[in-house]
Amino acid sequence: MSIWEYANPKRFMQVSAAVLPWLSALALVTLVTGLVWGFFFTPDDFRMGATVKIIYIHVPAATMATGAWFMMLVASLVWLIRRHHVSALAAKAGAPVGMTMTLIGLFTGAVWGQPMWGTWWAWEPRLTSFLILFLFYLGYMALWEAVEDPDTAADLTSVLCIVGSVFAVLSRYAVLFWNRGLHQGASLSMDAEEHVSDIYAWPLWVSIIGFALLFVCLVLLRTRTEIRARRLRALQARERAA
Amino acid sequence: MILSVTDLAVLRGGVALLGGLSFTLGPGEALILRGPNGVGKTTLLRTLAGLQPALAGRIDGPAEGAAYSSHADGVKPTLNVAENLRFWAEIHGQRDIAPALEAFDLVNLAGREAQSLSAGQKRRLGLARLLVTGRRLWLLDEPTVSLDSASVALFAAAIEAHLAQGGAAVIATHIGLGLAHARDLDLAVYRPDPGAAGTVSGAGDPFLEGIA
Amino acid sequence: MRALLLRDLRLAIRAGGGFGLSLAFFLIVTTLVPFGVGPEGGTLARIAPGILWLGALLSCLLSLDRIFALDREDGSLDLLATSPAPMEGVVAIKAAAHWLTTGLPLTFVAPALGLLLNLAPSGYGWLMLSLAIGTPALSLIGAFGAALTVGLKRGGLLLSLLVLPLYVPTLIYGAELARRGAEGLPVLTPLLMLAGITLGTAALLPFAAAAAIRVNLR
């Protein structure tokens, strides 16, 4: 019994079909718990008022945005090294979910920024990094769409994902440097989760776990769709050849 | 032995085209690939050249690799004939391009820009490139396209000379070249059997596992 | 390898090679900027390093799809892949040829365009230095993008989409180096980072690009 067994499409379909309903229910319960707790059962911040509660969406979405890219990186490496087809398709399935999380993070960041900074958008290092990450997702997905042969597409996107990861980290530090250079110290920092007190931290953690479970569910679901699409393709090829 | 192929299966676009292919090629021998369009001649040659992976089987070729030539012959229109040829010679660590120019009757054209050549002359330049690679095994995909009968004779003579020096060639062609030591290989025989499970859509496609 | 470099340079310089196009593009972009932001000298001087870097970056982008696409069309890439030349070396040489025909000329004309944008005279040297150090990275990253998209029919637009996000760190440090140089601020950090990016891309990206080309030739 090894973990690679699940890299076989048939096995993956069986196991994921059994797991998905339970996992979805768990994700729903955790998410609702975290958000309701955070929205209705925590006090308003003395400085930021009720606007602080957007962290219960903003921070988990942002965590998942980077987490999704990391998951794609691992899946890409597994595909390149061990040639497991499910791994390549999981990476493909993770991208739109990660991109949506990035968008949610950017949107909630803008909504939060409005009352705090008086502007919808500031070139604050963290927000800027997520904007760049969004561009990386776009390019990655566009490459998947553009290449016809699925195995070729998997190879090329995996290479892009690895190189992109290095450049994403580089960009993060470059942006930090760039903005400090402009503003002399990040006075606009939204590093909320680094100094939130316990009363906000617990529901925040529950929300993060809820988002993570939601992410896993969506990726499993999308991977199943991708596997079915590949099956259809293989069947059509067989039909043509016969 | 220059080339030895054992139980080779090749695929194009994820679909197996040929299977169970075995042959050997010694010094001085040429193999002519026959078969209808789409049978997999180009795919086989590209696989032998190492440009694409085989689905199954073994290919034992010369250690230095093979000289591959296809419809696209890598001729740069803004370079002249000698510059084009000298480039490929230098890439392959060779110096002398005079014999190649001679063999394909290109001496008088040496200073001409390749874009002013006719299709047949360009093709001759593409084939002359084979002589400057210094490789023993030639893999040729429809080498006689757009050649007139005199040029085909030049080409046949070049192959004969190559074989006489202990070289070998695998050639996909529709016309007879009149080579003395050539064998025919009909690829239609090696088409995978559509009835056999798992051989048609890429042997053992993981996405078809468990599907009737 | 030397033969490949010479051939690529020759092809670029001869008719239809596109040499000079990127220089003309650089000039046009720079000329258009004052029409967009107004002729006021102080504003232009302040944004000049950034505009010139952006212009150089876009000019580089313009010729990226030529790096491998032409060789792919006429079969040269197949023949290079079966030749004794390692694909990693081919990528590195082709990126070098691209830099010699775009990045290097751009570096030399940049001060003249800096004049148009009112760049402080003390900034010319730093501008040239930043372009000289940074544009090789642009060519190398671009060669990687071109390798990814070489098999695609309409790869040009996708190439831009893939390459531009990868250009972010180079642009930030390059423009910052030129700006700080012009304003007389300390330049060591962006200088080292920019050089590090160029060296890092030169060391690693040829391998990734060669892998992508091999996949695309299948």
Side-chain angles (χ1 to χ4, degrees), chain A residues 2-16 78 82-89 223-224 227 231, chain B residues 204-211:
Chain A
S2 98
I3 185 165
W4 302 119
E5 224 172 276
Y6 302 102
N8 155 341
K10 189 181 156 210
R11 188 100 179 90
F12 177 84
M13 288 303 265
Q14 287 168 351
V15 172
S16 60
V78 170
R82 306 211 36 160
R83 310 304 284 181
H84 287 311
H85 285 81
V86 174
S87 185
L89 294 182
T223 310
R224 287 172 61 79
I227 288 176
R231 268 189 187 161
Chain B
D205 189 321
F207 290 98
L208 289 180
E209 201 179 309
I211 292 178

Side-chain angles (χ1 to χ4, degrees), chain A residues 8-226:
Chain A
N8 155 341
K10 189 181 156 210
R11 188 100 179 90
F12 177 84
M13 288 303 265
Q14 287 168 351
V15 172
S16 60
V19 166
L20 250 178
W22 299 101
L23 209 58
S24 311
L26 188 62
L28 187 73
V29 170
T30 321
L31 252 184
V32 170
T33 310
L35 290 181
V36 169
W37 185 0
F39 284 162
F40 301 111
F41 298 98
T42 54
D44 288 355
D45 185 76
F46 69 94
R47 192 161 50 90
M48 296 185 273
T51 57
V52 73
K53 295 186 173 178
I54 209 162
I55 60 167
Y56 298 114
I57 297 177
H58 178 75
V59 172
T63 313
M64 282 306 112
T66 43
W69 186 275
F70 185 70
M71 170 249 149
M72 283 155 57
L73 173 65
V74 173
S76 297
L77 284 170
V78 170
W79 160 249
L80 284 182
I81 295 165
R82 306 211 36 160
R83 310 304 284 181
H84 287 311
H85 285 81
V86 174
S87 185
L89 294 182
K92 183 183 184 185
V97 186
M99 191 182 81
T100 312
M101 293 291 181
T102 315
L103 263 183
I104 295 174
L106 283 173
F107 180 76
T108 50
V111 170
W112 196 7
Q114 215 288 325
M116 280 187 62
W117 310 328
T119 168
W120 293 98
W121 181 263
W123 290 93
E124 186 266 342
R126 197 167 285 227
L127 272 183
T128 311
S129 301
F130 277 102
L131 189 59
I132 296 169
L133 184 63
F134 179 68
L135 299 180
F136 275 90
Y137 275 118
L138 274 187
Y140 178 86
M141 284 163 61
L143 189 60
W144 260 111
E145 289 307 312
V147 183
E148 198 140 312
D149 181 68
D151 282 356
T152 306
D155 281 335
L156 293 177
T157 50
S158 298
V159 175
L160 177 67
C161 187
I162 294 167
V163 172
S165 304
V166 176
F167 276 86
V169 173
L170 262 181
S171 303
R172 174 92 179 98
Y173 286 103
V175 164
L176 271 176
F177 166 79
W178 160 79
N179 195 304
R180 257 186 220 134
L182 288 179
H183 292 296
Q184 307 298 326
S187 55
L188 294 178
S189 173
M190 295 214 313
D191 289 355
E193 78 270 34
E194 265 138 52
H195 48 75
V196 282
S197 52
D198 283 351
I199 195 158
Y200 300 112
W202 282 109
L204 184 58
W205 276 112
V206 177
S207 293
I208 290 178
I209 293 169
F211 265 77
L213 287 171
L214 175 69
F215 171 75
V216 173
C217 288
L218 290 174
V219 170
L220 284 180
L221 204 63
R222 290 192 57 88
T223 310
R224 287 172 61 79
T225 312
E226 295 292 346

Side-chain angles (χ1 to χ4, degrees), chain B residues 192-205:
Chain B
D193 177 9
T199 53
V200 177
S201 173
D205 189 321

Side-chain angles (χ1 to χ4, degrees), chain B residues 46 49 51-53 66 68-70 72-76 78-80 83 87-88 90-92 113 129 135, chain C residues 1-4 7 10-11 14-15 70-71 73-76 78-85 214 217-218:
Chain B
R46 287 182 70 84
L51 287 169
Q52 57 185 67
Y68 171 76
S69 163
S70 72
D73 29 30
V75 170
K76 291 291 174 192
T78 52
L79 298 183
N80 69 32
E83 283 170 337
F87 165 66
W88 290 111
E90 283 178 30
I91 284 286
H92 284 87
E113 274 195 1
R129 187 188 58 83
R135 291 194 165 166
Chain C
M1 286 288 118
R2 200 179 62 97
L4 182 62
R7 183 194 74 150
R10 210 175 267 159
L11 285 173
R14 290 208 179 155
L70 295 178
D71 277 337
E73 273 165 35
D74 67 15
S76 299
D78 281 342
L79 302 179
L80 282 170
T82 56
S83 79
R214 278 191 216 103
L217 286 182
R218 284 204 302 244

Side-chain angles (χ1 to χ4, degrees), chain C residues 3 57 98 136 156 168 189:
Chain C
L57 186 149
H98 180 262
V168 168
T189 313

